[in-house]
Amino acid sequence: MMKYLPVWPVLALLIPAAAAFTSVIRRLSFAGNLRGLIILNAADAAAEMKDRTNSGLPTNLHQRNIVVLCHNVSQDVADGIFDVNNLLKGRIDVLARCITSALWVSNRVRTDTTLYLMLSPHNVTIEVQGSCVRSLTPDERTLALYLQRTLWSYEKEKHSIQRNGGQELSSKLSAGSVPDSRLVGKTSQAPHSKYINPKSIPMSEEKRLRDMRKGRDAMINRIRISHQGKSPLPGLILHQDDTLQTRIRKLILQSSGDSNDILMLSETGVPLWEVLEDKQQNQPESAISIGQNKTSTTLIVGNQIGYSADDEKLLMGIPSVREVSLGPLSLLTSQCITITHHYLDRLFATTYD
């Protein structure tokens, strides 16, 4: 009679072997998927590079310059000392939105546009070149970090600490604006007064200023650590001692020999689309057909405060500056940039590749 082998020893041998075989299959499958993922990523990168090359955005036929006059900018903002988690303080959000509206379209950056953020009254200008910028993202916090890195330097940091860190407190103490703690104690112990818990007494002005200075010094230390050893983003250039008159003169010289329109946006100017239509009608068709209509448009717009009296006097005195309007309704600065881009895209659509 034939004897059968026990089942349990056979299973004890087969189960580890099956587990090892399954592990090998999983490793091979993961390696295959990883290889396929690498190939797909390489193909996507090549396609993205091809899209950037053939983006359809004009890079040499028409140059757009956008000048944003940013008034009432604090010294801390001009020195790059601000909190990127609180963009409303110092209105850093306005600067970030101007960059997004000026340079971003769907999935690509306008290579024909250069933005100038002029920080007044410090005569500091941040130039953002669409043709040279790299790794630009549309979210406001990252843009604020890039602006901060461009504005930041050790000399500014040291000067700012010495100017605002200790002198503000010492000046207020010397001026007598901070009440003496001894006088506060005497006045609080008036006869027939109710008992006051010492913990509920508001802090003195001296302690409040001291806490503000400590918080500011801590923020400067965080900024220093965040940007230590990092260079500004390519395409972001900082200009010192850059006034509006100097900037307009440079833009006119850059477009020497070309057709240059300097448009000053206001609520009372000539409708912008009518100005652009007249320009298109007066342009020779032969130049359009052979693609030689090299032009540049400079848009000047104010921030949420608008133009100053000196700005209006200077701009209205330049013959090449024309006052245009997007309508009687006051719009946001970023909205004005977007609408102007739309009009220029319609006008120069025939020059796209």
Side-chain angles (χ1 to χ4, degrees):
M1 185 174 179
M2 187 175 181
K3 295 182 179 180
Y4 295 96
L5 294 175
V7 177
W8 293 110
V10 176
L11 292 177
L13 294 175
L14 291 179
I15 290 176
F21 179 78
T22 304
S23 178
V24 172
I25 293 298
R26 288 179 178 176
R27 291 180 182 178
L28 292 176
S29 176
F30 174 77
N33 292 335
L34 180 61
R35 182 181 178 185
L37 182 60
I38 293 175
I39 294 175
L40 287 177
N41 289 337
D44 292 342
E48 182 179 356
M49 184 62 67
K50 184 177 179 181
D51 291 340
R52 285 183 174 271
T53 305
N54 302 322
S55 60
L57 295 175
T59 58
N60 56 354
L61 294 180
H62 182 259
Q63 175 66 27
R64 305 176 188 183
N65 304 309
I66 300 175
V67 180
V68 180
L69 305 181
C70 307
H71 291 287
N72 291 357
V73 177
S74 65
Q75 185 64 53
D76 278 353
V77 172
D79 291 340
I81 303 175
F82 51 83
D83 188 3
V84 296
N85 296 318
N86 185 13
L87 300 182
L88 287 177
K89 186 177 182 180
R91 296 318 306 264
I92 309 300
D93 57 331
V94 176
L95 305 180
R97 290 168 191 167
C98 288
I99 297 177
T100 302
S101 300
L103 297 181
W104 267 100
V105 292
S106 180
N107 298 324
R108 59 176 62 94
V109 173
R110 292 182 181 269
T111 58
D112 61 340
T113 302
T114 301
L115 175 67
Y116 299 92
L117 299 173
M118 305 192 68
L119 309 184
S120 178
H122 313 287
N123 295 334
V124 175
T125 300
I126 303 176
E127 179 181 356
V128 187
Q129 300 176 347
S131 59
C132 301
V133 73
R134 297 292 181 272
S135 303
L136 190 68
T137 56
D139 63 292
E140 295 180 5
R141 186 181 183 278
T142 304
L143 291 175
L145 282 172
Y146 291 153
L147 292 175
Q148 187 178 69
R149 189 178 303 173
T150 304
L151 293 167
W152 182 257
S153 65
Y154 175 76
E155 290 78 13
K156 288 184 178 181
E157 169 196 346
K158 183 178 179 181
H159 175 68
S160 181
I161 293 176
Q162 293 177 351
R163 182 184 64 253
N164 296 330
Q167 292 184 3
E168 181 181 1
L169 177 60
S170 60
S171 61
K172 290 195 174 185
L173 289 174
S174 61
S177 60
V178 181
D180 192 348
S181 59
R182 292 174 296 181
L183 296 178
V184 173
K186 289 183 179 180
T187 55
S188 61
Q189 295 177 359
H192 307 289
S193 61
K194 296 182 180 180
Y195 171 76
I196 300 177
N197 187 357
K199 295 183 179 180
S200 65
I201 299 177
M203 68 175 65
S204 64
E205 184 71 10
E206 179 182 356
K207 184 177 185 303
R208 187 182 69 84
L209 293 177
R210 187 166 58 248
D211 292 343
M212 289 176 57
R213 185 179 61 182
K214 289 182 180 179
R216 186 176 183 277
D217 292 343
M219 182 176 64
I220 291 176
N221 188 43
R222 291 195 303 269
I223 295 174
R224 184 196 301 113
I225 295 175
S226 176
H227 301 293
Q228 185 176 8
K230 297 179 181 178
S231 58
L233 191 71
L236 271 70
I237 304 173
L238 184 66
H239 300 279
Q240 300 282 356
D241 300 327
D242 190 43
T243 61
L244 178 59
Q245 185 176 6
T246 304
R247 178 53 50 191
I248 296 297
R249 186 185 303 115
K250 290 181 179 179
L251 291 175
I252 293 176
L253 292 176
Q254 288 177 4
S255 60
S256 178
D258 302 334
S259 176
N260 182 24
D261 296 328
I262 301 180
L263 308 176
M264 172 186 174
L265 277 183
S266 69
E267 292 84 356
T268 59
V270 183
L272 175 60
W273 181 241
E274 294 182 4
V275 174
L276 297 179
E277 278 187 331
D278 293 340
K279 176 181 178 180
Q280 187 179 32
Q281 293 175 1
N282 296 330
Q283 194 172 15
E285 295 183 0
S286 58
I288 298 177
S289 61
I290 62 178
Q292 294 180 351
N293 54 331
K294 186 175 182 181
T295 60
S296 63
T297 300
T298 298
L299 175 69
I300 302 177
V301 61
N303 62 346
Q304 72 276 5
I305 299 176
Y307 299 111
S308 65
D310 294 336
D311 293 339
E312 293 182 350
K313 182 179 179 181
L314 174 64
L315 294 173
M316 298 306 295
I318 301 177
S320 57
V321 175
R322 186 167 185 180
E323 190 176 3
V324 297
S325 174
L326 296 176
L329 183 64
S330 297
L331 303 175
L332 298 178
T333 304
S334 57
Q335 294 174 340
C336 294
I337 296 174
T338 302
I339 296 174
T340 305
H341 267 316
H342 169 68
Y343 286 155
L344 293 175
D345 290 341
R346 292 178 58 186
L347 178 63
F348 294 97
T350 55
T351 64
Y352 288 5
D353 297 332

